[in-house]
Amino acid sequence: MDYSYIFRSALPDYGKFAEFGFQEQNGGYICKKPLEGTDFTALITVRDESITAEVYEKSSDGISADSRYALFDVKSANGAFVAGIRAQVQEIMHDFQASCFEPGDWKERYISHIEREFDCNAEYPWASPQETQDTKTRYTDAAVFRCPNQKWFALIMDIRYRNLGLESEEGVPVVNLKADPDKIPELTDKKSVFPAWHMNKKHWITVLLTRVTDFDRLCELTRRSYELAGVVRT
């Protein structure tokens, strides 16, 4: 199962990997964690900016391909046992992120930047969380920023990584920004900048408000969004 979203949430501190239980191997890192109350072991592999976890049955010969617990990776498998296995692995990944990655996001710093740079205040159109019928994704304190002509140039909200095509139910703060249509294909690296979620993908992009996003670049993209949204057409 893929947990690479962690790299999009925070920056790794590789010096702490060994303390968590990782060993360097073949240009990457591997870690084995036993799953309590079972005869299974989770094998976590980190290579480049990829994090995967597989589950294997314990044996005297160690881990082998033949002992892999395939149901762990089958999304449609939803029995109580496999759900318990997944919950344990998810908890291990939470501990891994907390122990070996620099926490925090850019959200509050970014809001302060917008208010100062563009002399405008956040508006909160949705006073309480509301849920869209098609995606079941909650808007939590979604903030809108407008140009003097009342056009939006930034929409800050919390969504889930799966809304961006990534395999994770984890939440992440993002901002939707307007962009030049001809530049959007080169801007969307699908690491920190994605095709716009829930807005016109020909004119908008979604940018992660996490430490993997270069803050100076984020500010540049915001400036361009303000310029594009602020154009008065006659």
Side-chain angles (χ1 to χ4, degrees):
M1 192 169 290
D2 188 9
Y3 294 88
S4 301
Y5 70 86
I6 292 175
F7 272 109
R8 298 174 176 86
S9 303
L11 297 177
D13 184 346
Y14 291 105
K16 296 181 179 179
F17 275 37
E19 184 178 347
F20 190 81
F22 279 92
Q23 297 179 338
E24 291 191 53
Q25 186 178 98
N26 299 325
Y29 299 84
I30 64 167
C31 177
K32 299 175 184 177
K33 292 288 187 180
L35 302 181
E36 296 182 4
T38 75
D39 292 324
F40 292 89
T41 295
L43 174 65
I44 305 167
T45 303
V46 179
R47 183 168 286 106
D48 298 325
E49 293 188 356
S50 171
I51 304 175
T52 58
E54 298 172 334
V55 174
Y56 293 84
E57 190 171 3
K58 300 174 187 176
S59 69
S60 57
D61 299 328
I63 289 176
S64 67
D66 292 339
S67 64
R68 183 175 176 181
Y69 182 54
L71 286 180
F72 174 72
D73 297 296
V74 179
K75 294 181 180 180
S76 58
N78 53 14
F81 182 77
V82 68
I85 293 290
R86 288 181 182 141
Q88 282 204 52
V89 174
Q90 186 65 58
E91 186 63 30
I92 291 171
M93 302 312 295
H94 279 309
D95 291 344
F96 174 40
Q97 182 174 356
S99 302
C100 301
F101 285 77
E102 182 181 351
D105 59 51
W106 293 132
K107 187 174 179 179
E108 295 306 319
R109 179 182 174 187
Y110 180 59
I111 289 176
S112 296
H113 167 78
I114 291 181
E115 292 178 336
R116 182 178 63 254
E117 181 72 13
F118 302 102
D119 191 25
C120 61
N121 295 317
E123 298 179 19
Y124 297 90
W126 301 280
S128 60
Q130 68 181 42
E131 197 170 37
T132 59
Q133 293 182 353
D134 54 339
T135 63
K136 304 300 183 185
T137 298
R138 289 190 179 278
Y139 292 107
T140 305
D141 297 330
V144 170
F145 290 89
R146 299 178 188 268
C147 296
N149 64 3
Q150 297 304 302
K151 297 291 187 180
W152 293 8
F153 71 92
L155 168 60
I156 297 174
M157 55 191 164
D158 295 330
I159 63 173
R160 299 185 188 277
Y161 279 104
R162 65 174 170 79
N163 296 123
L164 300 175
L166 304 174
E167 292 188 7
S168 172
E169 292 297 321
E170 292 288 312
V172 61
V174 301
V175 60
N176 279 6
L177 298 171
K178 203 162 191 179
D180 296 282
D182 59 333
K183 294 184 178 180
I184 286 179
E186 64 185 71
L187 290 174
T188 51
D189 57 14
K190 296 187 178 180
K191 294 182 178 180
S192 61
V193 183
F194 294 79
W197 179 78
H198 222 50
M199 294 181 77
N200 190 327
K201 292 177 173 54
K202 293 182 179 179
H203 298 280
W204 293 81
I205 55 177
T206 293
V207 185
L208 300 186
L209 296 181
T210 68
R211 293 186 184 275
V212 298
T213 300
D214 181 88
F215 195 80
D216 289 337
R217 185 184 184 220
L218 172 63
C219 294
E220 291 173 3
L221 292 171
T222 306
R223 166 59 63 180
R224 184 55 182 157
S225 181
Y226 183 85
E227 293 170 348
L228 291 170
V231 172
V232 178
R233 294 178 174 82
T234 60

